[in-house]
Amino acid sequence: MNIPRLGERLVALVLLATLLFTPPLLLVFDRPAGGLSWLPLYLFIAWGTVIALAAWLLEQRSGE
Amino acid sequence: MRTDTVVLSVAFGYLALLFVIAAWGDRRAEQGRSLIGSPTVYALSIAVYCTAWTFYGSVGRAAQFGPSFLLIYLGPTLAMLLSPFLIRKMVRIASAQRITSIADFISARYGKSSSLGALVAVIALIGITPYITLQLKAITVSHAVLINYPQAPALSLVEEAFWADKSFWVALVLAVFIILFGTRHLDASERHEGMVAAIAFESLVKLVAFLSVGIFVVFVLFHGPGDLFAQVAASPDLVGALGLEAVPGGASGWIGMLVLAFLAFITLPRQFQVLVVENVDERHLKRASWLFPLYLLAINLFVIPIAMAGMLLSAGDPDSYVLTLPLSAGLEALPLLVFIGGLSAATGMVIVETIALSTMVSNQLIMPLLLRSRRLHLGSRGELAGWLLGIRRVAIVLIAPPWASSPAP
C-alpha cells in the first residue's frame, strides 16, 4: 500500500461508483429507446468500468 | 443419461472430490506450502457469497423484477472497493484480538460484552438457519426438475419420508465434511485451509456452469444477443421488463436495497468467516477488491438474457430456467453440469455458514455458560479444548444438516 495517494484515489472511485449506481444518473438511462430500457446495459458498462479502474489503481506498481 | 443413478453418482462423486481437495489443502498447510496463499484463491473463496439463490434465483428475480437483482451484487462491489481500508482494519483487529466470528467482533467493539456476543449469536442462528434449509431445498427441487423433465417436478415433499429426500443424504455428507475439515483441530485463529481450498474450487465450478448455460442460451438457442433482444423488444409483454418500473419501490427502493446489500456483505457470518477469519495475508485484499467484483459481474452477465429467453420460450418456472432451457433443447450433459453448478453453490454456502454458526454457538453461547457453572471443573486447557470441539461438532449436526432438510410444511 505504498502507492502515493492511493487512499484518496480509492475513495474518489467509490464515490464515483456510488454516483453511477444510484438514481439521479440512473434515470437518464431508463428511457425506453427502441422499446427496451437501456438500464441493464448501462449498469453493466458502468460496473465494468469501475472494476477496470480499481484494477488499474491497485495493480500498478505491483512490486510490493 | 438422466437416470437417477447417473445423476446421483455424479453428484456424490462431486462431493467426494470436495473431500479430496480439502484433505489436500490441509496436508499442504501442515507442510507449510499453503494452497491458499494466493490472492486469487482468496477472491474465489469470497464468492461463497453467491449461493443457490444466485444460481437459480437471480434469473427468477430478473424475470419478475427486472434489473433489481443486480443490487445484491453492486452493494458488495462498493464494499470490496473499500476493503483496503474497511476490511483490512477488520482483519487487523481480528488477528490482534483473536476474534473468531462476527458475534465475537461486535462484542469486542463494546468492551468484550459477553451478553452482546450471545445476543448476536442468537440473532444469527435464528436468521440464518432457515436460509441453510433453503439451500438444501434448492438441491431437492433442481434434482426433481432434472429427473422429471418434461413433466413438472412432482414434489411430494410432505408425504415423502425424509430418507427418500436426496438432500437429506447431501446434508449428511456435508455434516461429515464440516466436522472433518471444520473441527479437526483447535487453533486460536480458527483457520481452515482445506475448507477454503474446497470453497474456492466450488466457486469456479458454479461460474463455469452458469457461463456455459448462458453462452448456450444466447448463441445456440438464439443468434446472439442482438437477435434475443430484438425478439424481446418485439414482444409487448416483455418491453417494460428491463426498466426501473419493474423494480419494487422504484428509485427509493433501489437505494434501500443497495445499502442493505452493502451491509449484508460485511456482516453475514459466512462472509466474515472467509473475508476476515480465513484471511492469511492482508495483502490479498488488494487483488480481491477488484477480482471479486469481476467474478460477480461475470456470474451475472447472462442472467437477463436467460430470463428473457425463458419468458420468450415459456420454459416453465423462472427459478428453473437455467435447467429447463437446455433440457427443452434435448441436451443431456449441459443440464447435468448446471445441476452440479447449483449443487456447488448450495453446498459452499452450507459449509461456510455452518462452520461460522457453530463457532459462534460454542464460543459465545455454550462455553460462557459452562465456564460459569462450578460443578464442571474445566481447569486444564486440554480438557477445555476437548469440550469446545465436542460442542462444536454437536452444533454442526444440529444447525445445518439432516434436521434442517426435513420438509417444510
Side-chain angles (χ1 to χ4, degrees):
Chain A
M1 297 288 156
N2 46 11
I3 300 162
R5 294 174 56 216
L6 177 72
E8 289 94 322
R9 288 179 188 186
L10 261 184
V11 169
L13 181 61
V14 172
L15 288 178
L16 172 73
T18 313
L19 207 68
L20 290 173
F21 296 164
T22 47
L25 209 62
L26 226 99
L27 297 174
V28 179
F29 293 90
D30 194 32
R31 281 208 203 114
L36 289 177
S37 168
W38 286 99
L39 186 60
L41 188 66
Y42 159 74
L43 280 173
F44 274 104
I45 292 173
W47 196 6
T49 312
V50 166
I51 293 170
L53 282 173
W56 173 73
L57 256 183
L58 290 162
E59 293 294 320
Q60 57 183 342
R61 236 181 269 185
S62 53
E64 198 188 347
Chain B
M1 194 178 156
R2 261 189 297 122
T3 60
D4 220 9
T5 336
V6 173
V7 172
L8 288 183
S9 36
V10 171
F12 284 97
Y14 173 77
L15 293 180
L17 185 60
L18 290 185
F19 277 80
V20 173
I21 294 173
W24 183 39
D26 270 351
R27 178 165 309 163
R28 288 281 294 260
E30 280 160 22
Q31 293 168 348
R33 295 186 299 141
S34 176
L35 209 58
I36 65 168
S38 122
T40 308
V41 174
Y42 178 64
L44 282 174
S45 74
I46 300 171
V48 72
Y49 183 71
C50 300
T51 62
W53 198 90
T54 299
F55 198 85
Y56 294 111
S58 280
V59 172
R61 212 181 147 80
Q64 212 181 344
F65 302 119
S68 68
F69 72 95
L70 282 174
L71 291 166
I72 314 284
Y73 310 97
L74 292 175
T77 298
L78 295 178
M80 274 316 273
L81 290 178
L82 283 172
S83 71
F85 309 108
L86 187 71
I87 294 168
R88 190 157 76 134
K89 189 153 191 216
M90 286 163 80
V91 169
R92 282 183 179 172
I93 293 170
S95 68
Q97 303 191 13
R98 299 196 163 177
I99 279 165
T100 54
S101 68
I102 183 74
D104 201 5
F105 186 81
I106 292 175
S107 82
R109 295 285 82 195
Y110 293 91
K112 280 274 176 196
S113 153
S114 62
S115 49
L116 184 64
L119 182 68
V120 175
V122 168
I123 292 173
L125 201 60
I126 294 171
I128 286 168
T129 311
Y131 198 27
I132 295 178
T133 317
L134 281 179
Q135 301 298 313
L136 295 169
K137 193 181 158 222
I139 299 175
T140 311
V141 172
S142 57
H143 174 259
V145 170
L146 192 64
I147 294 295
N148 296 331
Y149 191 85
Q151 278 110 45
L155 275 184
S156 47
L157 275 180
V158 183
E159 300 96 77
E160 217 170 36
F162 69 87
W163 61 80
D165 183 352
K166 304 301 175 296
S167 75
F168 169 76
W169 296 102
V170 172
L172 211 59
V173 173
L174 289 181
V176 174
F177 180 94
I178 298 163
I179 287 174
L180 269 182
F181 298 104
T183 63
R184 208 178 205 171
H185 48 79
L186 200 64
D187 172 287
S189 64
E190 294 294 350
R191 272 184 201 143
H192 314 91
E193 295 213 356
M195 185 272 286
V196 173
I199 295 302
F201 172 73
E202 298 223 86
S203 294
L204 267 185
V205 171
K206 66 193 175 200
L207 180 63
V208 168
F210 202 90
L211 288 179
S212 309
V213 67
I215 290 168
F216 167 76
V217 167
V218 173
F219 295 99
V220 180
L221 283 185
F222 291 83
H223 304 294
D227 173 40
L228 174 61
F229 284 103
Q231 291 196 35
V232 173
S235 150
D237 294 343
L238 298 182
V239 162
L242 296 182
L244 202 59
E245 62 200 273
V247 175
S252 55
W254 183 273
I255 297 178
M257 274 284 276
L258 187 66
V259 173
L260 214 60
F262 178 94
L263 291 176
F265 178 71
I266 47 177
T267 51
L268 275 173
R270 71 170 184 283
Q271 291 312 128
F272 189 87
Q273 181 80 28
V274 289
L275 275 169
V276 179
V277 180
E278 308 284 355
N279 178 287
V280 288
D281 184 343
E282 63 173 51
R283 281 172 303 178
H284 290 172
L285 276 169
K286 222 168 98 174
R287 172 80 51 86
S289 60
W290 63 268
L291 197 57
F292 172 67
L294 187 63
Y295 181 99
L296 293 181
L297 188 146
I299 206 165
N300 280 296
L301 203 53
F302 287 108
V303 169
I304 288 178
I306 293 172
M308 296 299 126
M311 288 200 283
L312 278 173
L313 304 172
S314 34
D317 177 19
D319 281 344
S320 305
Y321 280 169
V322 283
L323 277 170
T324 51
L325 282 172
L327 280 171
S328 70
L331 268 70
E332 295 288 343
L334 185 59
L336 201 56
L337 176 67
V338 171
F339 172 69
I340 294 299
L343 182 69
S344 71
T347 53
M349 182 275 185
V350 173
I351 290 170
V352 182
E353 203 78 89
T354 306
I355 288 182
L357 285 180
S358 71
T359 307
M360 264 191 236
V361 167
S362 71
N363 290 12
Q364 256 63 46
L365 288 176
I366 314 279
M367 265 339 245
L369 289 177
L370 281 184
L371 286 174
R372 226 172 277 171
S373 83
R374 295 200 174 165
R375 258 176 292 170
L376 295 162
H377 298 288
L378 295 172
S380 71
R381 275 190 64 85
E383 220 179 317
L384 209 61
W387 269 87
L388 208 54
L389 285 182
I391 292 166
R392 215 165 282 175
R393 284 173 188 149
V394 172
I396 286 167
V397 175
L398 291 181
I399 292 171
W403 330 109
S405 75
S406 60

